[in-house]
Amino acid sequence: MVTDPQTTYADNGQIWIRFARYFSQVANMVFYAPIFRDYFWRNLEEFRADNVQYIELRSSLEGVFDLDGTVHDEEFGLQLYKNVTDEFVKAFPDFSGAKIIRSGSRNSSADKILEEVKTAMYLHKKYPNFMIGYDLVGNEAYFNPLLFYIEALLYPSMQNPPYELPYFFHAGETNWQGTSTDDNLADALLLNATRIGHGYALIKHPKLRHLVRERNIPVEVNPISNQVLHLVSDPRNHPMTALMADNFPIVVSSDDCATWEALPLSHDYYMAFMDLSGQDADLTFLKQLAINSIKYSQMEQHEKKRAMKLWQAKWDTFIKQIILEYLLDCDYNGSKCDL
Amino acid sequence: MVTDPQTTYADNGQIWIRFARYFSQVANMVFYAPIFRDYFWRNLEEFRADNVQYIELRSSLEGVFDLDGTVHDEEFGLQLYKNVTDEFVKAFPDFSGAKIIRSGSRNSSADKILEEVKTAMYLHKKYPNFMIGYDLVGNEAYFNPLLFYIEALLYPSMQNPPYELPYFFHAGETNWQGTSTDDNLADALLLNATRIGHGYALIKHPKLRHLVRERNIPVEVNPISNQVLHLVSDPRNHPMTALMADNFPIVVSSDDCATWEALPLSHDYYMAFMDLSGQDADLTFLKQLAINSIKYSQMEQHEKKRAMKLWQAKWDTFIKQIILEYLLDCDYNGSKCDL
């Protein structure tokens, strides 16, 4: 914890170093199998307490260990997530569930990524409604661009018949035009990404913007992350303000919220509402964001329908509560209410 | 002068107070008639030394005084600018000249602005090729929006026959969506602005963006000003990066460059080149900016033709010089030259 983060971590490169260290600091602690179960259960609890009813989580799936030295494989990790999710949904039927995106690291070798893609195909085939696809994470500016892994990433579509492994690439998490991070955005789209993580650079690429709109590819926007990692200081300059105003398919996400001790999602919603919208934005803005998050999820149609129904009931209750509070407030103050 | 401007002037509102004080501090000094002549002559000299060959200048035209207490009217101010410009062009035929935009203040009364618009019409009619139109300047967030002056600003078009007084409105100099400053942009376009000053907010308004492109209305971008006045910290987040990449009609301007002791224009070109373009931008970016500044000027066709010829000759010389320097450098180092 530092009191002057702007000075201590003066730019995106410096804060990334500290940010990356966080993960190695906590990894050993949470990857011990019994703890990992509790950890993920608590994760779901906190999301639910934050009024989030469904999540899609990126995870490496690797590295869960037991005290006898066993390091479990990816399928073990996936099953652990699945079991905990199933139990949680049973315990809390108002929670719609979770799905997993298997995420590799941009500093791996091309061979390693090819193995991961193959495993991801296997897991996606075996658990099609839980393991929903593949992504690559890590500092785009310091590690390899998507192009470096092109053979691995094209592997599924080169099979006979082609295998459709959905991609959820982090891409274009930069404000620096013409860099390889910037190019990642083009490659993510050329690789038929199902959804784009960050896509911060999208605003500067008219052709890619056109493509995103035409294919209706949702972009996951992470307002707090972008500020913490020095992409933007005053979030009113966030490029997604323009794309949101232009009705692009945007969902608000929270990236690595635990790292900066933000709430699971509502702090990011708050920032989106205060800064990424206009001064004249109202409840309809928040409502649209919530609807988008279901609409652009990877739930199946019947799951979406059920989730929307659940959400609509919660929304209606929320609105009724607000109105009630307002009425009580009027009564208490003896003031006139214009409802 | 402060050593920590980010702390001393923490936001746009605070730096505007200091910024506005600058003008009252220097006004008395430069508005004394004989000094004002020298001041404007020196102005032109500095622009020429900075390789700028033509300018369009905003001025109130008011307040030039003599020691006997006479405060001269706007026509006196305009004639002074015209005489100095004519002399300067005679002395330096490689300079293409200057034209004046009469700019009123956003904190004036509606009656005062109506008088100014009437005078502007009179001066525009009498000096059509020198006094090119009208604008309103000052802090959009603290003073009146364009709508406040709607009767005055519609006055020319309400005449029989309508009089066409070109408007060069400062509008949308904000990153705060949904404010009255934001709305100014819409009003500037509804009032048929010939050119827009700043237009920082344009990116967030798809309909206005469409209008600007359709009507080919140039936007004057002032990169250093926007940073100094806390609109944007990292200029790679400047919204004009996106509009430039999308081939919008952009000209780079320097707002109040003297205030922050920047060069007349080249520092703003430098910032545009380094930050508002991509890492892969090259000479063609700078060339297009220079061409735009002639293309979107208010020069008449024959003047533009002459200015372009002058500019082309200077550009060619510059390119030849660079090549020559590079060749000499190769020779000196005994290294191989790939030309």
Side-chain angles (χ1 to χ4, degrees), chain A residues 177 200 204 236-237 279, chain B residues 177 200 204 236-237 279:
Chain A
Q177 202 179 341
Y200 192 96
K204 298 182 189 176
R236 291 174 298 184
N237 285 318
Q279 200 188 29
Chain B
Q177 203 180 341
Y200 192 95
K204 299 182 190 176
R236 290 174 297 184
N237 285 318
Q279 200 187 29

Side-chain angles (χ1 to χ4, degrees), chain B residues 204-216:
Chain B
K204 299 182 190 176
H205 297 280
K207 289 231 163 63
L208 302 183
R209 238 160 49 208
H210 181 74
L211 215 60
V212 160
R213 194 200 282 284
E214 199 178 57
R215 296 187 188 165
N216 206 25

Side-chain angles (χ1 to χ4, degrees), chain B residues 4-256:
Chain B
D4 57 346
Q6 296 279 345
T7 317
T8 310
Y9 309 114
D11 65 22
N12 175 263
Q14 288 179 41
I15 185 65
W16 255 100
I17 293 169
R18 178 65 191 88
F19 175 54
R21 210 193 310 143
Y22 172 88
F23 298 100
S24 50
Q25 282 173 321
V26 300
N28 256 351
M29 199 160 60
V30 297
F31 276 67
Y32 174 42
I35 286 190
F36 199 74
R37 278 184 199 93
D38 290 351
Y39 169 73
F40 183 52
W41 179 275
R42 175 60 184 265
N43 207 316
L44 296 175
E45 273 183 344
E46 289 190 11
F47 269 102
R48 184 172 168 270
D50 201 31
N51 268 324
V52 175
Q53 72 181 63
Y54 168 79
I55 60 170
E56 294 178 356
L57 194 76
R58 282 170 174 84
S59 166
S60 81
L61 301 178
E62 295 176 318
V64 177
F65 65 90
D66 269 310
L67 282 192
D68 61 5
T70 319
V71 178
H72 299 287
D73 66 4
E74 298 169 54
E75 186 162 8
F76 181 95
L78 187 72
Q79 279 175 331
L80 189 151
Y81 277 116
K82 190 165 174 6
N83 294 341
V84 173
T85 302
D86 290 346
E87 277 171 56
F88 192 85
V89 171
K90 211 184 272 178
F92 302 102
D94 66 339
F95 193 79
S96 302
K99 297 185 196 296
I100 302 290
I101 296 162
R102 198 289 185 225
S103 59
S105 168
R106 290 177 193 279
N107 66 352
S108 295
S109 69
D111 287 346
K112 167 89 168 76
I113 298 300
L114 180 58
E115 283 317 303
E116 288 183 11
V117 167
K118 286 179 184 170
T119 310
M121 283 166 66
Y122 159 76
L123 294 173
H124 180 250
K125 204 179 244 169
K126 190 163 174 188
Y127 308 88
N129 195 26
F130 187 67
M131 158 50 203
I132 54 174
Y134 187 77
D135 183 17
L136 280 164
V137 300
N139 190 339
E140 286 179 83
Y142 286 82
F143 298 129
N144 301 311
L146 288 176
L147 198 60
F148 181 81
Y149 302 113
I150 190 65
E151 279 179 42
L153 297 173
L154 284 176
Y155 180 83
S157 62
M158 300 296 272
Q159 300 313 295
N160 191 3
Y163 187 83
E164 206 174 307
L165 179 69
Y167 286 136
F168 298 83
F169 292 126
H170 273 65
E173 188 183 355
T174 186
N175 61 17
W176 206 342
Q177 203 180 341
T179 56
S180 62
T181 308
D182 203 45
D183 294 342
N184 274 339
L185 198 55
D187 289 328
L189 291 172
L190 290 172
L191 286 161
N192 283 322
T194 296
R195 209 163 60 214
I196 299 284
H198 292 292
Y200 192 95
L202 184 59
I203 192 80
K204 299 182 190 176
H205 297 280
K207 289 231 163 63
L208 302 183
R209 238 160 49 208
H210 181 74
L211 215 60
V212 160
R213 194 200 282 284
E214 199 178 57
R215 296 187 188 165
N216 206 25
I217 299 170
V219 178
E220 304 165 9
V221 178
N222 308 276
I224 297 178
S225 166
N226 295 155
Q227 193 183 42
V228 171
L229 294 178
H230 282 304
L231 256 70
V232 63
S233 167
D234 182 339
R236 290 174 297 184
N237 285 318
H238 197 295
M240 291 301 155
T241 52
L243 297 185
M244 280 167 143
D246 204 8
N247 208 19
F248 266 70
I250 303 285
V251 291
V252 168
S253 194
S254 57
D255 208 5
D256 302 273

